[in-house]
mmCIF file with all atom_site columns, all heavy atoms in Angstrom:
data_model
loop_
_atom_site.group_PDB
_atom_site.id
_atom_site.type_symbol
_atom_site.label_atom_id
_atom_site.label_alt_id
_atom_site.label_comp_id
_atom_site.label_asym_id
_atom_site.label_entity_id
_atom_site.label_seq_id
_atom_site.pdbx_PDB_ins_code
_atom_site.Cartn_x
_atom_site.Cartn_y
_atom_site.Cartn_z
_atom_site.occupancy
_atom_site.B_iso_or_equiv
_atom_site.pdbx_formal_charge
_atom_site.auth_seq_id
_atom_site.auth_comp_id
_atom_site.auth_asym_id
_atom_site.auth_atom_id
_atom_site.pdbx_PDB_model_num
ATOM 1   N N   . SER A 1 1  ? 0.814  -1.207 0.000   1.00 0.00 ? 1  SER A N   1
ATOM 2   C CA  . SER A 1 1  ? 0.000  0.000  0.000   1.00 0.00 ? 1  SER A CA  1
ATOM 3   C C   . SER A 1 1  ? 0.853  1.264  0.000   1.00 0.00 ? 1  SER A C   1
ATOM 4   O O   . SER A 1 1  ? 0.334  2.361  -0.183  1.00 0.00 ? 1  SER A O   1
ATOM 5   C CB  . SER A 1 1  ? -0.943 0.005  1.201   1.00 0.00 ? 1  SER A CB  1
ATOM 6   O OG  . SER A 1 1  ? -0.189 -0.008 2.408   1.00 0.00 ? 1  SER A OG  1
ATOM 7   N N   . THR A 1 2  ? 2.157  1.130  0.216   1.00 0.00 ? 2  THR A N   1
ATOM 8   C CA  . THR A 1 2  ? 3.038  2.293  0.201   1.00 0.00 ? 2  THR A CA  1
ATOM 9   C C   . THR A 1 2  ? 3.775  2.442  -1.131  1.00 0.00 ? 2  THR A C   1
ATOM 10  O O   . THR A 1 2  ? 4.518  3.396  -1.324  1.00 0.00 ? 2  THR A O   1
ATOM 11  C CB  . THR A 1 2  ? 4.080  2.213  1.325   1.00 0.00 ? 2  THR A CB  1
ATOM 12  O OG1 . THR A 1 2  ? 4.955  1.101  1.068   1.00 0.00 ? 2  THR A OG1 1
ATOM 13  C CG2 . THR A 1 2  ? 3.417  2.016  2.674   1.00 0.00 ? 2  THR A CG2 1
ATOM 14  N N   . TYR A 1 3  ? 3.590  1.515  -2.034  1.00 0.00 ? 3  TYR A N   1
ATOM 15  C CA  . TYR A 1 3  ? 4.309  1.531  -3.298  1.00 0.00 ? 3  TYR A CA  1
ATOM 16  C C   . TYR A 1 3  ? 3.635  2.440  -4.314  1.00 0.00 ? 3  TYR A C   1
ATOM 17  O O   . TYR A 1 3  ? 2.477  2.814  -4.166  1.00 0.00 ? 3  TYR A O   1
ATOM 18  C CB  . TYR A 1 3  ? 4.394  0.128  -3.894  1.00 0.00 ? 3  TYR A CB  1
ATOM 19  C CG  . TYR A 1 3  ? 5.149  -0.878 -3.072  1.00 0.00 ? 3  TYR A CG  1
ATOM 20  C CD1 . TYR A 1 3  ? 5.081  -2.231 -3.381  1.00 0.00 ? 3  TYR A CD1 1
ATOM 21  C CD2 . TYR A 1 3  ? 5.925  -0.519 -1.985  1.00 0.00 ? 3  TYR A CD2 1
ATOM 22  C CE1 . TYR A 1 3  ? 5.766  -3.186 -2.653  1.00 0.00 ? 3  TYR A CE1 1
ATOM 23  C CE2 . TYR A 1 3  ? 6.613  -1.462 -1.238  1.00 0.00 ? 3  TYR A CE2 1
ATOM 24  C CZ  . TYR A 1 3  ? 6.530  -2.788 -1.582  1.00 0.00 ? 3  TYR A CZ  1
ATOM 25  O OH  . TYR A 1 3  ? 7.208  -3.722 -0.850  1.00 0.00 ? 3  TYR A OH  1
ATOM 26  N N   . ALA A 1 4  ? 4.376  2.746  -5.371  1.00 0.00 ? 4  ALA A N   1
ATOM 27  C CA  . ALA A 1 4  ? 3.768  3.280  -6.577  1.00 0.00 ? 4  ALA A CA  1
ATOM 28  C C   . ALA A 1 4  ? 3.385  2.077  -7.440  1.00 0.00 ? 4  ALA A C   1
ATOM 29  O O   . ALA A 1 4  ? 4.025  1.034  -7.375  1.00 0.00 ? 4  ALA A O   1
ATOM 30  C CB  . ALA A 1 4  ? 4.739  4.180  -7.322  1.00 0.00 ? 4  ALA A CB  1
ATOM 31  N N   . MET A 1 5  ? 2.354  2.251  -8.253  1.00 0.00 ? 5  MET A N   1
ATOM 32  C CA  . MET A 1 5  ? 1.911  1.137  -9.094  1.00 0.00 ? 5  MET A CA  1
ATOM 33  C C   . MET A 1 5  ? 1.605  1.629  -10.491 1.00 0.00 ? 5  MET A C   1
ATOM 34  O O   . MET A 1 5  ? 1.315  2.814  -10.684 1.00 0.00 ? 5  MET A O   1
ATOM 35  C CB  . MET A 1 5  ? 0.696  0.463  -8.483  1.00 0.00 ? 5  MET A CB  1
ATOM 36  C CG  . MET A 1 5  ? 0.990  -0.160 -7.133  1.00 0.00 ? 5  MET A CG  1
ATOM 37  S SD  . MET A 1 5  ? -0.312 -1.207 -6.522  1.00 0.00 ? 5  MET A SD  1
ATOM 38  C CE  . MET A 1 5  ? -0.157 -2.613 -7.628  1.00 0.00 ? 5  MET A CE  1
ATOM 39  N N   . GLY A 1 6  ? 1.688  0.711  -11.419 1.00 0.00 ? 6  GLY A N   1
ATOM 40  C CA  . GLY A 1 6  ? 1.474  1.116  -12.790 1.00 0.00 ? 6  GLY A CA  1
ATOM 41  C C   . GLY A 1 6  ? 0.826  0.040  -13.630 1.00 0.00 ? 6  GLY A C   1
ATOM 42  O O   . GLY A 1 6  ? 0.748  -1.122 -13.227 1.00 0.00 ? 6  GLY A O   1
ATOM 43  N N   . TRP A 1 7  ? 0.346  0.480  -14.779 1.00 0.00 ? 7  TRP A N   1
ATOM 44  C CA  . TRP A 1 7  ? -0.164 -0.419 -15.811 1.00 0.00 ? 7  TRP A CA  1
ATOM 45  C C   . TRP A 1 7  ? 0.744  -0.310 -17.035 1.00 0.00 ? 7  TRP A C   1
ATOM 46  O O   . TRP A 1 7  ? 1.109  0.797  -17.448 1.00 0.00 ? 7  TRP A O   1
ATOM 47  C CB  . TRP A 1 7  ? -1.588 -0.049 -16.212 1.00 0.00 ? 7  TRP A CB  1
ATOM 48  C CG  . TRP A 1 7  ? -2.637 -0.387 -15.202 1.00 0.00 ? 7  TRP A CG  1
ATOM 49  C CD1 . TRP A 1 7  ? -3.220 0.461  -14.311 1.00 0.00 ? 7  TRP A CD1 1
ATOM 50  C CD2 . TRP A 1 7  ? -3.248 -1.660 -14.992 1.00 0.00 ? 7  TRP A CD2 1
ATOM 51  N NE1 . TRP A 1 7  ? -4.142 -0.212 -13.545 1.00 0.00 ? 7  TRP A NE1 1
ATOM 52  C CE2 . TRP A 1 7  ? -4.182 -1.522 -13.950 1.00 0.00 ? 7  TRP A CE2 1
ATOM 53  C CE3 . TRP A 1 7  ? -3.094 -2.923 -15.581 1.00 0.00 ? 7  TRP A CE3 1
ATOM 54  C CZ2 . TRP A 1 7  ? -4.965 -2.578 -13.483 1.00 0.00 ? 7  TRP A CZ2 1
ATOM 55  C CZ3 . TRP A 1 7  ? -3.872 -3.976 -15.120 1.00 0.00 ? 7  TRP A CZ3 1
ATOM 56  C CH2 . TRP A 1 7  ? -4.790 -3.799 -14.081 1.00 0.00 ? 7  TRP A CH2 1
ATOM 57  N N   . PHE A 1 8  ? 1.065  -1.448 -17.593 1.00 0.00 ? 8  PHE A N   1
ATOM 58  C CA  . PHE A 1 8  ? 1.819  -1.526 -18.838 1.00 0.00 ? 8  PHE A CA  1
ATOM 59  C C   . PHE A 1 8  ? 1.044  -2.438 -19.790 1.00 0.00 ? 8  PHE A C   1
ATOM 60  O O   . PHE A 1 8  ? 0.152  -3.180 -19.367 1.00 0.00 ? 8  PHE A O   1
ATOM 61  C CB  . PHE A 1 8  ? 3.210  -2.116 -18.589 1.00 0.00 ? 8  PHE A CB  1
ATOM 62  C CG  . PHE A 1 8  ? 4.143  -1.187 -17.857 1.00 0.00 ? 8  PHE A CG  1
ATOM 63  C CD1 . PHE A 1 8  ? 4.010  -0.985 -16.489 1.00 0.00 ? 8  PHE A CD1 1
ATOM 64  C CD2 . PHE A 1 8  ? 5.148  -0.507 -18.530 1.00 0.00 ? 8  PHE A CD2 1
ATOM 65  C CE1 . PHE A 1 8  ? 4.863  -0.128 -15.805 1.00 0.00 ? 8  PHE A CE1 1
ATOM 66  C CE2 . PHE A 1 8  ? 6.000  0.350  -17.860 1.00 0.00 ? 8  PHE A CE2 1
ATOM 67  C CZ  . PHE A 1 8  ? 5.858  0.545  -16.496 1.00 0.00 ? 8  PHE A CZ  1
ATOM 68  N N   . ARG A 1 9  ? 1.415  -2.393 -21.065 1.00 0.00 ? 9  ARG A N   1
ATOM 69  C CA  . ARG A 1 9  ? 0.784  -3.302 -22.012 1.00 0.00 ? 9  ARG A CA  1
ATOM 70  C C   . ARG A 1 9  ? 1.806  -3.763 -23.045 1.00 0.00 ? 9  ARG A C   1
ATOM 71  O O   . ARG A 1 9  ? 2.803  -3.076 -23.303 1.00 0.00 ? 9  ARG A O   1
ATOM 72  C CB  . ARG A 1 9  ? -0.410 -2.636 -22.700 1.00 0.00 ? 9  ARG A CB  1
ATOM 73  C CG  . ARG A 1 9  ? -0.050 -1.457 -23.584 1.00 0.00 ? 9  ARG A CG  1
ATOM 74  C CD  . ARG A 1 9  ? -1.321 -0.787 -24.091 1.00 0.00 ? 9  ARG A CD  1
ATOM 75  N NE  . ARG A 1 9  ? -1.026 0.340  -24.986 1.00 0.00 ? 9  ARG A NE  1
ATOM 76  C CZ  . ARG A 1 9  ? -1.948 1.149  -25.480 1.00 0.00 ? 9  ARG A CZ  1
ATOM 77  N NH1 . ARG A 1 9  ? -3.227 0.977  -25.169 1.00 0.00 ? 9  ARG A NH1 1
ATOM 78  N NH2 . ARG A 1 9  ? -1.597 2.139  -26.289 1.00 0.00 ? 9  ARG A NH2 1
ATOM 79  N N   . GLN A 1 10 ? 1.517  -4.916 -23.609 1.00 0.00 ? 10 GLN A N   1
ATOM 80  C CA  . GLN A 1 10 ? 2.417  -5.466 -24.618 1.00 0.00 ? 10 GLN A CA  1
ATOM 81  C C   . GLN A 1 10 ? 1.596  -6.097 -25.726 1.00 0.00 ? 10 GLN A C   1
ATOM 82  O O   . GLN A 1 10 ? 0.846  -7.066 -25.480 1.00 0.00 ? 10 GLN A O   1
ATOM 83  C CB  . GLN A 1 10 ? 3.362  -6.504 -23.997 1.00 0.00 ? 10 GLN A CB  1
ATOM 84  C CG  . GLN A 1 10 ? 4.438  -6.978 -24.950 1.00 0.00 ? 10 GLN A CG  1
ATOM 85  C CD  . GLN A 1 10 ? 5.557  -7.713 -24.231 1.00 0.00 ? 10 GLN A CD  1
ATOM 86  O OE1 . GLN A 1 10 ? 5.405  -8.154 -23.095 1.00 0.00 ? 10 GLN A OE1 1
ATOM 87  N NE2 . GLN A 1 10 ? 6.701  -7.826 -24.886 1.00 0.00 ? 10 GLN A NE2 1
ATOM 88  N N   . ALA A 1 11 ? 1.728  -5.544 -26.913 1.00 0.00 ? 11 ALA A N   1
ATOM 89  C CA  . ALA A 1 11 ? 1.057  -6.082 -28.091 1.00 0.00 ? 11 ALA A CA  1
ATOM 90  C C   . ALA A 1 11 ? 1.963  -7.111 -28.754 1.00 0.00 ? 11 ALA A C   1
ATOM 91  O O   . ALA A 1 11 ? 3.191  -7.067 -28.572 1.00 0.00 ? 11 ALA A O   1
ATOM 92  C CB  . ALA A 1 11 ? 0.730  -4.954 -29.055 1.00 0.00 ? 11 ALA A CB  1
ATOM 93  N N   . PRO A 1 12 ? 1.401  -8.016 -29.546 1.00 0.00 ? 12 PRO A N   1
ATOM 94  C CA  . PRO A 1 12 ? 2.223  -9.040 -30.200 1.00 0.00 ? 12 PRO A CA  1
ATOM 95  C C   . PRO A 1 12 ? 3.328  -8.417 -31.044 1.00 0.00 ? 12 PRO A C   1
ATOM 96  O O   . PRO A 1 12 ? 3.082  -7.497 -31.834 1.00 0.00 ? 12 PRO A O   1
ATOM 97  C CB  . PRO A 1 12 ? 1.210  -9.778 -31.087 1.00 0.00 ? 12 PRO A CB  1
ATOM 98  C CG  . PRO A 1 12 ? -0.089 -9.575 -30.410 1.00 0.00 ? 12 PRO A CG  1
ATOM 99  C CD  . PRO A 1 12 ? -0.031 -8.207 -29.813 1.00 0.00 ? 12 PRO A CD  1
ATOM 100 N N   . GLY A 1 13 ? 4.541  -8.891 -30.831 1.00 0.00 ? 13 GLY A N   1
ATOM 101 C CA  . GLY A 1 13 ? 5.671  -8.414 -31.603 1.00 0.00 ? 13 GLY A CA  1
ATOM 102 C C   . GLY A 1 13 ? 6.208  -7.058 -31.197 1.00 0.00 ? 13 GLY A C   1
ATOM 103 O O   . GLY A 1 13 ? 7.104  -6.523 -31.850 1.00 0.00 ? 13 GLY A O   1
ATOM 104 N N   . LYS A 1 14 ? 5.672  -6.497 -30.127 1.00 0.00 ? 14 LYS A N   1
ATOM 105 C CA  . LYS A 1 14 ? 6.111  -5.182 -29.679 1.00 0.00 ? 14 LYS A CA  1
ATOM 106 C C   . LYS A 1 14 ? 6.658  -5.248 -28.260 1.00 0.00 ? 14 LYS A C   1
ATOM 107 O O   . LYS A 1 14 ? 6.394  -6.184 -27.517 1.00 0.00 ? 14 LYS A O   1
ATOM 108 C CB  . LYS A 1 14 ? 4.959  -4.180 -29.750 1.00 0.00 ? 14 LYS A CB  1
ATOM 109 C CG  . LYS A 1 14 ? 4.474  -3.900 -31.162 1.00 0.00 ? 14 LYS A CG  1
ATOM 110 C CD  . LYS A 1 14 ? 3.467  -2.768 -31.168 1.00 0.00 ? 14 LYS A CD  1
ATOM 111 C CE  . LYS A 1 14 ? 3.039  -2.418 -32.584 1.00 0.00 ? 14 LYS A CE  1
ATOM 112 N NZ  . LYS A 1 14 ? 2.080  -1.280 -32.601 1.00 0.00 ? 14 LYS A NZ  1
ATOM 113 N N   . GLU A 1 15 ? 7.407  -4.213 -27.890 1.00 0.00 ? 15 GLU A N   1
ATOM 114 C CA  . GLU A 1 15 ? 7.931  -4.141 -26.535 1.00 0.00 ? 15 GLU A CA  1
ATOM 115 C C   . GLU A 1 15 ? 6.822  -3.727 -25.566 1.00 0.00 ? 15 GLU A C   1
ATOM 116 O O   . GLU A 1 15 ? 5.844  -3.095 -25.952 1.00 0.00 ? 15 GLU A O   1
ATOM 117 C CB  . GLU A 1 15 ? 9.075  -3.127 -26.480 1.00 0.00 ? 15 GLU A CB  1
ATOM 118 C CG  . GLU A 1 15 ? 10.304 -3.559 -27.252 1.00 0.00 ? 15 GLU A CG  1
ATOM 119 C CD  . GLU A 1 15 ? 11.476 -2.614 -27.051 1.00 0.00 ? 15 GLU A CD  1
ATOM 120 O OE1 . GLU A 1 15 ? 11.284 -1.539 -26.465 1.00 0.00 ? 15 GLU A OE1 1
ATOM 121 O OE2 . GLU A 1 15 ? 12.579 -2.956 -27.495 1.00 0.00 ? 15 GLU A OE2 1
ATOM 122 N N   . ARG A 1 16 ? 7.044  -4.072 -24.312 1.00 0.00 ? 16 ARG A N   1
ATOM 123 C CA  . ARG A 1 16 ? 6.098  -3.660 -23.280 1.00 0.00 ? 16 ARG A CA  1
ATOM 124 C C   . ARG A 1 16 ? 6.175  -2.151 -23.116 1.00 0.00 ? 16 ARG A C   1
ATOM 125 O O   . ARG A 1 16 ? 7.267  -1.576 -23.044 1.00 0.00 ? 16 ARG A O   1
ATOM 126 C CB  . ARG A 1 16 ? 6.441  -4.362 -21.964 1.00 0.00 ? 16 ARG A CB  1
ATOM 127 C CG  . ARG A 1 16 ? 5.349  -4.285 -20.914 1.00 0.00 ? 16 ARG A CG  1
ATOM 128 C CD  . ARG A 1 16 ? 5.614  -5.231 -19.759 1.00 0.00 ? 16 ARG A CD  1
ATOM 129 N NE  . ARG A 1 16 ? 5.626  -6.624 -20.204 1.00 0.00 ? 16 ARG A NE  1
ATOM 130 C CZ  . ARG A 1 16 ? 5.678  -7.656 -19.361 1.00 0.00 ? 16 ARG A CZ  1
ATOM 131 N NH1 . ARG A 1 16 ? 5.722  -7.438 -18.051 1.00 0.00 ? 16 ARG A NH1 1
ATOM 132 N NH2 . ARG A 1 16 ? 5.696  -8.888 -19.822 1.00 0.00 ? 16 ARG A NH2 1
ATOM 133 N N   . GLU A 1 17 ? 5.024  -1.505 -23.059 1.00 0.00 ? 17 GLU A N   1
ATOM 134 C CA  . GLU A 1 17 ? 5.004  -0.051 -22.970 1.00 0.00 ? 17 GLU A CA  1
ATOM 135 C C   . GLU A 1 17 ? 4.165  0.435  -21.790 1.00 0.00 ? 17 GLU A C   1
ATOM 136 O O   . GLU A 1 17 ? 3.207  -0.221 -21.362 1.00 0.00 ? 17 GLU A O   1
ATOM 137 C CB  . GLU A 1 17 ? 4.461  0.567  -24.272 1.00 0.00 ? 17 GLU A CB  1
ATOM 138 C CG  . GLU A 1 17 ? 3.013  0.280  -24.554 1.00 0.00 ? 17 GLU A CG  1
ATOM 139 C CD  . GLU A 1 17 ? 2.473  1.067  -25.747 1.00 0.00 ? 17 GLU A CD  1
ATOM 140 O OE1 . GLU A 1 17 ? 3.251  1.797  -26.399 1.00 0.00 ? 17 GLU A OE1 1
ATOM 141 O OE2 . GLU A 1 17 ? 1.263  0.945  -26.019 1.00 0.00 ? 17 GLU A OE2 1
ATOM 142 N N   . PHE A 1 18 ? 4.545  1.590  -21.300 1.00 0.00 ? 18 PHE A N   1
ATOM 143 C CA  . PHE A 1 18 ? 3.881  2.220  -20.171 1.00 0.00 ? 18 PHE A CA  1
ATOM 144 C C   . PHE A 1 18 ? 2.497  2.719  -20.570 1.00 0.00 ? 18 PHE A C   1
ATOM 145 O O   . PHE A 1 18 ? 2.304  3.253  -21.664 1.00 0.00 ? 18 PHE A O   1
ATOM 146 C CB  . PHE A 1 18 ? 4.735  3.392  -19.680 1.00 0.00 ? 18 PHE A CB  1
ATOM 147 C CG  . PHE A 1 18 ? 4.073  4.267  -18.669 1.00 0.00 ? 18 PHE A CG  1
ATOM 148 C CD1 . PHE A 1 18 ? 3.941  3.845  -17.355 1.00 0.00 ? 18 PHE A CD1 1
ATOM 149 C CD2 . PHE A 1 18 ? 3.592  5.512  -19.020 1.00 0.00 ? 18 PHE A CD2 1
ATOM 150 C CE1 . PHE A 1 18 ? 3.342  4.654  -16.407 1.00 0.00 ? 18 PHE A CE1 1
ATOM 151 C CE2 . PHE A 1 18 ? 2.991  6.330  -18.086 1.00 0.00 ? 18 PHE A CE2 1
ATOM 152 C CZ  . PHE A 1 18 ? 2.867  5.907  -16.779 1.00 0.00 ? 18 PHE A CZ  1
ATOM 153 N N   . VAL A 1 19 ? 1.543  2.555  -19.647 1.00 0.00 ? 19 VAL A N   1
ATOM 154 C CA  . VAL A 1 19 ? 0.188  3.065  -19.852 1.00 0.00 ? 19 VAL A CA  1
ATOM 155 C C   . VAL A 1 19 ? -0.127 4.153  -18.828 1.00 0.00 ? 19 VAL A C   1
ATOM 156 O O   . VAL A 1 19 ? -0.478 5.273  -19.188 1.00 0.00 ? 19 VAL A O   1
ATOM 157 C CB  . VAL A 1 19 ? -0.849 1.935  -19.752 1.00 0.00 ? 19 VAL A CB  1
ATOM 158 C CG1 . VAL A 1 19 ? -2.265 2.499  -19.856 1.00 0.00 ? 19 VAL A CG1 1
ATOM 159 C CG2 . VAL A 1 19 ? -0.608 0.879  -20.832 1.00 0.00 ? 19 VAL A CG2 1
ATOM 160 N N   . ALA A 1 20 ? -0.004 3.836  -17.546 1.00 0.00 ? 20 ALA A N   1
ATOM 161 C CA  . ALA A 1 20 ? -0.348 4.805  -16.499 1.00 0.00 ? 20 ALA A CA  1
ATOM 162 C C   . ALA A 1 20 ? 0.255  4.367  -15.182 1.00 0.00 ? 20 ALA A C   1
ATOM 163 O O   . ALA A 1 20 ? 0.547  3.180  -14.986 1.00 0.00 ? 20 ALA A O   1
ATOM 164 C CB  . ALA A 1 20 ? -1.863 4.950  -16.374 1.00 0.00 ? 20 ALA A CB  1
ATOM 165 N N   . ALA A 1 21 ? 0.421  5.334  -14.269 1.00 0.00 ? 21 ALA A N   1
ATOM 166 C CA  . ALA A 1 21 ? 0.983  5.042  -12.954 1.00 0.00 ? 21 ALA A CA  1
ATOM 167 C C   . ALA A 1 21 ? 0.281  5.854  -11.893 1.00 0.00 ? 21 ALA A C   1
ATOM 168 O O   . ALA A 1 21 ? -0.278 6.929  -12.172 1.00 0.00 ? 21 ALA A O   1
ATOM 169 C CB  . ALA A 1 21 ? 2.484  5.330  -12.926 1.00 0.00 ? 21 ALA A CB  1
ATOM 170 N N   . ILE A 1 22 ? 0.320  5.348  -10.678 1.00 0.00 ? 22 ILE A N   1
ATOM 171 C CA  . ILE A 1 22 ? -0.261 6.039  -9.534  1.00 0.00 ? 22 ILE A CA  1
ATOM 172 C C   . ILE A 1 22 ? 0.683  5.861  -8.348  1.00 0.00 ? 22 ILE A C   1
ATOM 173 O O   . ILE A 1 22 ? 1.267  4.791  -8.174  1.00 0.00 ? 22 ILE A O   1
ATOM 174 C CB  . ILE A 1 22 ? -1.675 5.511  -9.212  1.00 0.00 ? 22 ILE A CB  1
ATOM 175 C CG1 . ILE A 1 22 ? -2.346 6.334  -8.117  1.00 0.00 ? 22 ILE A CG1 1
ATOM 176 C CG2 . ILE A 1 22 ? -1.639 4.029  -8.824  1.00 0.00 ? 22 ILE A CG2 1
ATOM 177 C CD1 . ILE A 1 22 ? -3.846 6.033  -7.964  1.00 0.00 ? 22 ILE A CD1 1
ATOM 178 N N   . ASN A 1 23 ? 0.827  6.914  -7.568  1.00 0.00 ? 23 ASN A N   1
ATOM 179 C CA  . ASN A 1 23 ? 1.608  6.825  -6.340  1.00 0.00 ? 23 ASN A CA  1
ATOM 180 C C   . ASN A 1 23 ? 0.637  6.917  -5.178  1.00 0.00 ? 23 ASN A C   1
ATOM 181 O O   . ASN A 1 23 ? 0.010  7.950  -4.968  1.00 0.00 ? 23 ASN A O   1
ATOM 182 C CB  . ASN A 1 23 ? 2.647  7.961  -6.288  1.00 0.00 ? 23 ASN A CB  1
ATOM 183 C CG  . ASN A 1 23 ? 3.628  7.781  -5.158  1.00 0.00 ? 23 ASN A CG  1
ATOM 184 O OD1 . ASN A 1 23 ? 3.246  7.667  -3.995  1.00 0.00 ? 23 ASN A OD1 1
ATOM 185 N ND2 . ASN A 1 23 ? 4.907  7.735  -5.493  1.00 0.00 ? 23 ASN A ND2 1
ATOM 186 N N   . TRP A 1 24 ? 0.506  5.802  -4.454  1.00 0.00 ? 24 TRP A N   1
ATOM 187 C CA  . TRP A 1 24 ? -0.497 5.744  -3.377  1.00 0.00 ? 24 TRP A CA  1
ATOM 188 C C   . TRP A 1 24 ? -0.281 6.865  -2.362  1.00 0.00 ? 24 TRP A C   1
ATOM 189 O O   . TRP A 1 24 ? -1.229 7.555  -1.972  1.00 0.00 ? 24 TRP A O   1
ATOM 190 C CB  . TRP A 1 24 ? -0.395 4.420  -2.623  1.00 0.00 ? 24 TRP A CB  1
ATOM 191 C CG  . TRP A 1 24 ? -0.802 3.194  -3.354  1.00 0.00 ? 24 TRP A CG  1
ATOM 192 C CD1 . TRP A 1 24 ? -0.001 2.112  -3.603  1.00 0.00 ? 24 TRP A CD1 1
ATOM 193 C CD2 . TRP A 1 24 ? -2.082 2.868  -3.891  1.00 0.00 ? 24 TRP A CD2 1
ATOM 194 N NE1 . TRP A 1 24 ? -0.713 1.156  -4.271  1.00 0.00 ? 24 TRP A NE1 1
ATOM 195 C CE2 . TRP A 1 24 ? -1.985 1.582  -4.455  1.00 0.00 ? 24 TRP A CE2 1
ATOM 196 C CE3 . TRP A 1 24 ? -3.304 3.547  -3.954  1.00 0.00 ? 24 TRP A CE3 1
ATOM 197 C CZ2 . TRP A 1 24 ? -3.059 0.951  -5.071  1.00 0.00 ? 24 TRP A CZ2 1
ATOM 198 C CZ3 . TRP A 1 24 ? -4.376 2.918  -4.559  1.00 0.00 ? 24 TRP A CZ3 1
ATOM 199 C CH2 . TRP A 1 24 ? -4.233 1.639  -5.109  1.00 0.00 ? 24 TRP A CH2 1
ATOM 200 N N   . ARG A 1 25 ? 0.947  7.057  -1.940  1.00 0.00 ? 25 ARG A N   1
ATOM 201 C CA  . ARG A 1 25 ? 1.197  8.015  -0.860  1.00 0.00 ? 25 ARG A CA  1
ATOM 202 C C   . ARG A 1 25 ? 1.165  9.446  -1.365  1.00 0.00 ? 25 ARG A C   1
ATOM 203 O O   . ARG A 1 25 ? 0.721  10.342 -0.659  1.00 0.00 ? 25 ARG A O   1
ATOM 204 C CB  . ARG A 1 25 ? 2.527  7.708  -0.181  1.00 0.00 ? 25 ARG A CB  1
ATOM 205 C CG  . ARG A 1 25 ? 2.495  6.410  0.617   1.00 0.00 ? 25 ARG A CG  1
ATOM 206 C CD  . ARG A 1 25 ? 3.804  6.191  1.343   1.00 0.00 ? 25 ARG A CD  1
ATOM 207 N NE  . ARG A 1 25 ? 4.885  5.991  0.396   1.00 0.00 ? 25 ARG A NE  1
ATOM 208 C CZ  . ARG A 1 25 ? 6.175  6.086  0.712   1.00 0.00 ? 25 ARG A CZ  1
ATOM 209 N NH1 . ARG A 1 25 ? 6.537  6.426  1.929   1.00 0.00 ? 25 ARG A NH1 1
ATOM 210 N NH2 . ARG A 1 25 ? 7.098  5.878  -0.197  1.00 0.00 ? 25 ARG A NH2 1
ATOM 211 N N   . GLY A 1 26 ? 1.638  9.659  -2.580  1.00 0.00 ? 26 GLY A N   1
ATOM 212 C CA  . GLY A 1 26 ? 1.626  11.014 -3.129  1.00 0.00 ? 26 GLY A CA  1
ATOM 213 C C   . GLY A 1 26 ? 0.262  11.428 -3.654  1.00 0.00 ? 26 GLY A C   1
ATOM 214 O O   . GLY A 1 26 ? -0.010 12.619 -3.808  1.00 0.00 ? 26 GLY A O   1
ATOM 215 N N   . GLY A 1 27 ? -0.569 10.436 -3.940  1.00 0.00 ? 27 GLY A N   1
ATOM 216 C CA  . GLY A 1 27 ? -1.899 10.737 -4.451  1.00 0.00 ? 27 GLY A CA  1
ATOM 217 C C   . GLY A 1 27 ? -1.906 11.286 -5.854  1.00 0.00 ? 27 GLY A C   1
ATOM 218 O O   . GLY A 1 27 ? -2.843 11.987 -6.253  1.00 0.00 ? 27 GLY A O   1
ATOM 219 N N   . THR A 1 28 ? -0.873 10.994 -6.617  1.00 0.00 ? 28 THR A N   1
ATOM 220 C CA  . THR A 1 28 ? -0.763 11.546 -7.962  1.00 0.00 ? 28 THR A CA  1
ATOM 221 C C   . THR A 1 28 ? -0.813 10.437 -9.001  1.00 0.00 ? 28 THR A C   1
ATOM 222 O O   . THR A 1 28 ? -0.557 9.266  -8.710  1.00 0.00 ? 28 THR A O   1
ATOM 223 C CB  . THR A 1 28 ? 0.556  12.311 -8.122  1.00 0.00 ? 28 THR A CB  1
ATOM 224 O OG1 . THR A 1 28 ? 1.636  11.468 -7.702  1.00 0.00 ? 28 THR A OG1 1
ATOM 225 C CG2 . THR A 1 28 ? 0.549  13.567 -7.271  1.00 0.00 ? 28 THR A CG2 1
ATOM 226 N N   . THR A 1 29 ? -1.157 10.826 -10.228 1.00 0.00 ? 29 THR A N   1
ATOM 227 C CA  . THR A 1 29 ? -1.222 9.883  -11.337 1.00 0.00 ? 29 THR A CA  1
ATOM 228 C C   . THR A 1 29 ? -0.540 10.465 -12.567 1.00 0.00 ? 29 THR A C   1
ATOM 229 O O   . THR A 1 29 ? -0.328 11.689 -12.655 1.00 0.00 ? 29 THR A O   1
ATOM 230 C CB  . THR A 1 29 ? -2.673 9.526  -11.703 1.00 0.00 ? 29 THR A CB  1
ATOM 231 O OG1 . THR A 1 29 ? -3.345 10.715 -12.145 1.00 0.00 ? 29 THR A OG1 1
ATOM 232 C CG2 . THR A 1 29 ? -3.421 8.937  -10.518 1.00 0.00 ? 29 THR A CG2 1
ATOM 233 N N   . TYR A 1 30 ? -0.231 9.583  -13.498 1.00 0.00 ? 30 TYR A N   1
ATOM 234 C CA  . TYR A 1 30 ? 0.463  9.983  -14.725 1.00 0.00 ? 30 TYR A CA  1
ATOM 235 C C   . TYR A 1 30 ? 0.084  8.983  -15.793 1.00 0.00 ? 30 TYR A C   1
ATOM 236 O O   . TYR A 1 30 ? 0.061  7.772  -15.534 1.00 0.00 ? 30 TYR A O   1
ATOM 237 C CB  . TYR A 1 30 ? 1.970  9.989  -14.484 1.00 0.00 ? 30 TYR A CB  1
ATOM 238 C CG  . TYR A 1 30 ? 2.833  10.146 -15.719 1.00 0.00 ? 30 TYR A CG  1
ATOM 239 C CD1 . TYR A 1 30 ? 2.664  11.224 -16.582 1.00 0.00 ? 30 TYR A CD1 1
ATOM 240 C CD2 . TYR A 1 30 ? 3.840  9.220  -16.007 1.00 0.00 ? 30 TYR A CD2 1
ATOM 241 C CE1 . TYR A 1 30 ? 3.466  11.360 -17.700 1.00 0.00 ? 30 TYR A CE1 1
ATOM 242 C CE2 . TYR A 1 30 ? 4.641  9.358  -17.123 1.00 0.00 ? 30 TYR A CE2 1
ATOM 243 C CZ  . TYR A 1 30 ? 4.451  10.433 -17.966 1.00 0.00 ? 30 TYR A CZ  1
ATOM 244 O OH  . TYR A 1 30 ? 5.242  10.584 -19.071 1.00 0.00 ? 30 TYR A OH  1
#
């Protein structure tokens, strides 16, 4: 519950890419 967390995605034949992130303690998103 103190970590930052994120979503990533990977399409066939492509590298894994960033989608969104949230910092639980900072209360911010990107």
Side-chain angles (χ1 to χ4, degrees):
S1 61
T2 66
Y3 297 168
M5 297 191 71
W7 287 100
F8 288 76
R9 65 186 182 185
Q10 188 165 18
K14 295 188 176 182
E15 293 187 350
R16 194 168 298 188
E17 67 172 3
F18 171 76
V19 175
I22 186 168
N23 190 304
W24 291 121
R25 291 184 295 164
T28 52
T29 63
Y30 170 55

